[in-house]
Amino acid sequence: QVQLVESGGGWVQPGGSLRLSCIVSGDSLASYSLGWFRTVPGKAREGVSSIQGDGGTYYKNSVLGRFTISRDNAKNTVYLQMNSLKPEDTAVYYCAASSYYFRDMLQASSYHYWGQGTQVTVSS
């Protein structure tokens, strides 16, 4: 079974940066699509970014230009570099993996393996 473990969350002031990491175990990473999602109490799970096995990427409009998703298949790791962080970025961030590519890879139902989440708090 595939297992995902996130790390790198924490507290940062507005305008600061964090890099989230997600280590994937149990299967080869090369052919998987990978995504980052976030949740805030009272709101639906929100797709932040995704990266396909061929390296193609997608971003939520509000993070475009500030966040960058990347993958290192040799290290079985997917990253989310977050720059120019805003208070509205505060959330629990989850990584996810899918064995297949679907039309909308920023949709949670496209994924069937999930990490435990890591808290990101952006405040003064």
Side-chain angles (χ1 to χ4, degrees):
Q1 184 80 337
V2 173
Q3 185 176 27
L4 293 78
V5 180
E6 304 98 330
S7 63
W11 173 83
V12 65
Q13 296 185 71
S17 297
L18 288 172
R19 188 178 76 160
L20 306 183
S21 300
C22 176
I23 299 175
V24 182
S25 62
D27 202 358
S28 174
L29 194 64
S31 63
Y32 278 73
S33 295
L34 303 163
W36 286 97
F37 293 77
R38 64 190 183 187
T39 58
V40 177
K43 297 182 67 177
R45 185 161 42 189
E46 178 180 66
V48 177
S49 184
S50 68
I51 184 166
Q52 301 170 221
D54 66 2
T57 59
Y58 299 92
Y59 294 92
K60 174 180 172 64
N61 286 338
S62 64
V63 309
L64 189 63
R66 298 189 298 120
F67 292 10
T68 302
I69 191 170
S70 61
R71 64 193 294 160
D72 187 334
N73 291 340
K75 296 181 179 179
N76 286 342
T77 302
V78 59
Y79 304 94
L80 185 67
Q81 178 67 46
M82 304 186 293
N83 298 326
S84 301
L85 283 161
K86 304 175 180 180
E88 49 263 46
D89 295 317
T90 296
V92 177
Y93 284 72
Y94 299 86
C95 63
S98 175
S99 300
Y100 304 97
Y101 177 77
F102 298 95
R103 180 178 59 84
D104 185 0
M105 294 307 293
L106 292 180
Q107 180 176 302
S109 61
S110 296
Y111 298 85
H112 51 279
Y113 299 114
W114 293 87
Q116 83 288 351
T118 185
Q119 176 71 48
V120 172
T121 302
V122 185
S123 70
S124 298

